[in-house]
Amino acid sequence: MATFVDRVVLHVSGGTGGHGCVSVKREKFKPLGGPDGGNGGNGGDVILRVDHQTTTLLDYHHAPHRHATNGGSGMGDWRDGKNGETLVLPVPDGTVVKSLDGEVLADLVGEGTEFVAAAGGQGGLGNAALSSPKRKAPGFALLGIPGEARDIVLELKSIADIALVGFPSAGKSSLIAAMSAARPKIADYPFTTLIPNLGVVQAGDTRFTIADVPGLIEGASEGRGLGHNFLRHVERCAALVHVLDCATLETDRNPISDLEIIEAELDKYAVDMSYAGVDGEVVPLNQRPRLVVLNKVDMPDGKEMAEFVRPELEERGYRVFEVSAMTREGLRELGFAMAEIVEAAREAVKTAPPKVKPAVLRPRAVNQAGFTIRREEKGLQPLFRVLGDKPERWVQQTDFNNDEAVGFLADRLAKLGVEDGLFKAGAKPGDTVVIGGEDGVVFDWEPTMVGGAELLASPRGTDARLEEFIRPTRVQKREEYQERKDAKAAARAELEAERKAGIWTESIDGEQQAGDDDDE
């Protein structure tokens, strides 16, 4: 079974940032030491790096989930947590990174080229960093933010200058073995080659690489054979070389028909236009320079077949070479012809100015709030969703088990203008407010009181505004109303029963008689 993998879906996630520490300095003979909680460490990044020793994506096929280490939590005595270690994933040269939607995120070409696939989360601040002249001893710290998590697609596109295309058993692997030091698997049956082979050729002062496309047959664009899956490996090539078998034993095949079938398959292949080279253009495979190699001229009837079809191929505008991988006939001339095309392509890249889109700087408007408020409905009740980088990040940093931290969040949101925006959107106290997307945090909105939490005298870890008034829910209001209604009905029934029993009259008569006795 072939162990070559050239396309994988990788699930990467950066490390989570460490939590900040809540601590107060306590030392003998030094009262009022103040807060000394350290900050949490940042989570590690996941980085893709080109490594020349890596030739396949097989490791990521077997283990597609990769996670960087988390940051350490802060400690007392102003000690910050340890940053998470960066996870470096080696990838082959020529790897293209895409999103699941097909958008090209990076094209990794060249030893050491890097791409940050998933950034680590930010560590939370300790109470020492949150202290201020107004909030001198915070009783809370900020939590670490989870690292970035996303799914990416890795596609390997081999770095080759010349691509060999042709039917199985046309002699492409033998040609690479004869022209370079590569030793691919060679046999006399179709589909011997299951993976693209690479070889380095030296022609004079020019050194270039050649690659073959295995299993390219008629109907490859409809899923037959293997060739259409491997054509991505020749998208970077400067020229195509058609290798035609002049000694085939199949009666329904000849070099001309083989060439027409392969050309038709190349016409159906859509080159990835989302990535362009330094010249800003992507040339389809069927429009690149092409050479025709009539192979196996050393075989019986091979030379005669080559001489028979060569005039017709030259009339179509092809440069034709008669070669034999076995006897090495014609390989020198073919190598120099390839080198000529490669040199021309390299000079064109050097002389052509790169087409780079100018960077457009769009500064943020002065009146831009940095968040948006969207009115929705859920269960026939109004719902207000707050979206923005800052509000969503602040919510992730808040410890909702600490009232002072919740009050600090309310102050930050009010200072950013979220409360004013909710009022303008028509929100009323008690309405549902969600900060974030579908997995956001849900609140029953209650406008904050005038004055921040740092101006209120309350113990550390508490917020007087949250303790003074807790808005009951609708269910609680209905239950309290029903209890009051039942209590009033019971009181009326008791009074009515006493009146009918004459208890009220006897009480009045008894009080009058007691008053007459006192007068006497």
Side-chain angles (χ1 to χ4, degrees):
M1 179 180 293
T3 58
F4 181 80
V5 176
D6 62 348
R7 187 183 188 277
V8 296
V9 177
L10 192 61
H11 313 276
V12 292
S13 57
T16 302
H19 301 330
C21 177
V22 180
S23 177
V24 176
K25 185 68 174 178
R26 290 180 173 87
E27 189 174 349
K28 192 175 182 180
F29 305 121
K30 289 185 179 180
L32 304 178
D36 64 345
N39 303 329
N42 296 327
D45 300 334
V46 179
I47 296 179
L48 303 178
R49 180 182 298 169
V50 174
D51 183 10
H52 69 278
Q53 295 183 350
T54 304
T55 59
T56 179
L57 303 174
L58 181 63
D59 292 342
Y60 309 123
H61 174 72
H62 294 306
H65 297 270
R66 301 301 176 102
H67 178 74
T69 57
N70 300 329
S73 299
M75 296 169 284
D77 203 13
W78 298 282
R79 291 176 295 174
D80 294 339
K82 181 181 179 181
N83 292 331
E85 296 182 2
T86 299
L87 177 61
V88 178
L89 303 178
V91 295
D93 193 4
T95 301
V96 178
V97 185
K98 297 182 178 181
S99 64
L100 294 180
D101 299 332
E103 178 186 0
V104 175
L105 304 177
D107 186 71
L108 306 179
V109 177
E111 178 70 18
T113 305
E114 294 183 351
F115 171 70
V116 180
Q122 179 183 355
L125 298 179
N127 64 341
L130 295 174
S131 62
S132 64
K134 295 181 179 180
R135 183 185 280 105
K136 296 184 178 180
F140 69 98
L142 299 185
L143 304 180
I145 299 177
E148 182 183 9
R150 60 178 174 177
D151 300 336
I152 57 177
V153 178
L154 303 183
E155 290 186 356
L156 176 57
K157 296 183 180 181
S158 302
I159 307 297
D161 299 303
I162 300 294
L164 305 182
V165 294
F167 267 68
S169 297
K172 300 187 296 297
S173 299
S174 300
L175 199 61
I176 290 179
M179 299 184 67
S180 67
R183 293 296 177 262
K185 183 179 179 181
I186 300 173
D188 58 352
Y189 55 88
F191 299 111
T192 303
T193 304
L194 298 178
I195 64 175
N197 294 317
L198 288 176
V200 180
V201 179
Q202 184 74 34
D205 296 333
T206 305
R207 181 188 295 268
F208 57 93
T209 58
I210 56 178
D212 69 339
V213 180
L216 186 60
I217 62 176
E218 184 178 5
S221 58
E222 284 79 26
R224 295 183 61 192
L226 303 173
H228 213 260
N229 296 327
F230 292 123
L231 277 176
R232 72 167 65 95
H233 292 275
V234 298
E235 287 188 359
R236 305 179 190 273
C237 65
L240 298 177
V241 175
H242 287 278
V243 181
L244 304 180
D245 187 358
C246 290
T248 179
L249 300 178
E250 300 180 24
T251 58
D252 58 341
R253 283 182 50 197
N254 61 74
I256 299 296
S257 63
D258 289 354
L259 176 64
E260 293 175 349
I261 291 174
I262 299 302
E263 285 283 349
E265 293 301 324
L266 293 178
D267 292 340
K268 297 177 182 179
Y269 180 76
V271 180
D272 189 357
M273 304 298 292
S274 58
Y275 169 76
V278 293
D279 57 352
E281 299 179 356
V282 178
V283 181
L285 295 180
N286 57 355
Q287 297 181 12
R288 302 186 188 185
R290 282 163 290 178
L291 304 176
V292 173
V293 172
L294 300 177
N295 195 17
K296 302 181 183 181
V297 296
D298 61 303
M299 300 289 289
D301 300 330
K303 187 70 174 178
E304 297 179 1
M305 177 63 74
E307 293 177 354
F308 178 75
V309 300
R310 179 166 186 161
E312 183 175 351
L313 294 175
E314 291 178 345
E315 289 180 1
R316 297 186 182 187
Y318 295 105
R319 292 180 61 184
V320 183
F321 297 85
E322 298 180 10
V323 303
S324 170
M326 182 67 66
T327 63
R328 298 180 181 272
E329 177 184 350
L331 296 185
R332 178 178 175 82
E333 293 79 5
L334 177 61
F336 278 99
M338 293 179 179
E340 180 182 349
I341 297 176
V342 171
E343 282 295 329
R346 292 175 180 175
E347 288 296 327
V349 172
K350 292 180 182 179
T351 57
K355 298 181 181 180
V356 180
K357 294 183 180 180
V360 179
L361 301 179
R362 295 184 176 87
R364 192 182 64 157
V366 177
N367 58 348
Q368 185 175 352
F371 65 92
T372 57
I373 298 178
R374 188 172 63 199
R375 183 187 177 99
E376 302 175 2
E377 284 191 4
K378 185 176 181 181
L380 301 179
Q381 297 295 331
L383 182 146
F384 298 87
R385 190 178 301 276
V386 181
L387 300 174
D389 292 337
K390 286 186 177 180
E392 294 181 26
R393 184 176 72 250
W394 292 347
V395 166
Q396 290 179 326
Q397 292 176 328
T398 301
D399 180 10
F400 288 95
N401 295 323
N402 188 304
D403 290 345
E404 188 177 356
V406 177
F408 179 70
L409 172 64
D411 294 339
R412 300 175 83 179
L413 295 176
K415 185 176 180 180
L416 186 63
V418 174
E419 287 198 353
D420 294 338
L422 289 173
F423 276 119
K424 293 180 181 178
K428 299 179 181 178
D431 287 344
T432 302
V433 175
V434 180
I435 299 181
E438 297 299 329
D439 56 347
V441 180
V442 183
F443 299 90
D444 284 336
W445 183 53
E446 180 65 36
T448 58
M449 297 175 59
V450 179
E454 67 275 5
L455 303 179
L456 304 175
S458 58
R460 286 195 303 272
T462 62
D463 192 318
R465 296 171 297 178
L466 301 179
E467 297 177 357
E468 289 180 359
F469 179 78
I470 299 177
R471 176 175 291 275
T473 63
R474 295 182 178 88
V475 176
Q476 292 175 342
K477 290 181 178 179
R478 286 195 294 267
E479 291 177 353
E480 293 177 359
Y481 173 75
Q482 189 64 35
E483 290 177 359
R484 292 195 299 270
K485 186 176 179 181
D486 294 342
K488 291 181 179 179
R492 293 192 189 97
E494 183 179 357
L495 293 175
E496 183 65 19
E498 292 178 354
R499 185 185 65 79
K500 292 180 178 180
I503 297 177
W504 293 353
T505 305
E506 294 177 357
S507 297
I508 294 174
D509 295 340
E511 291 177 359
Q512 291 178 352
Q513 185 176 0
D516 295 338
D517 295 340
D518 292 339
D519 293 338
E520 293 177 357

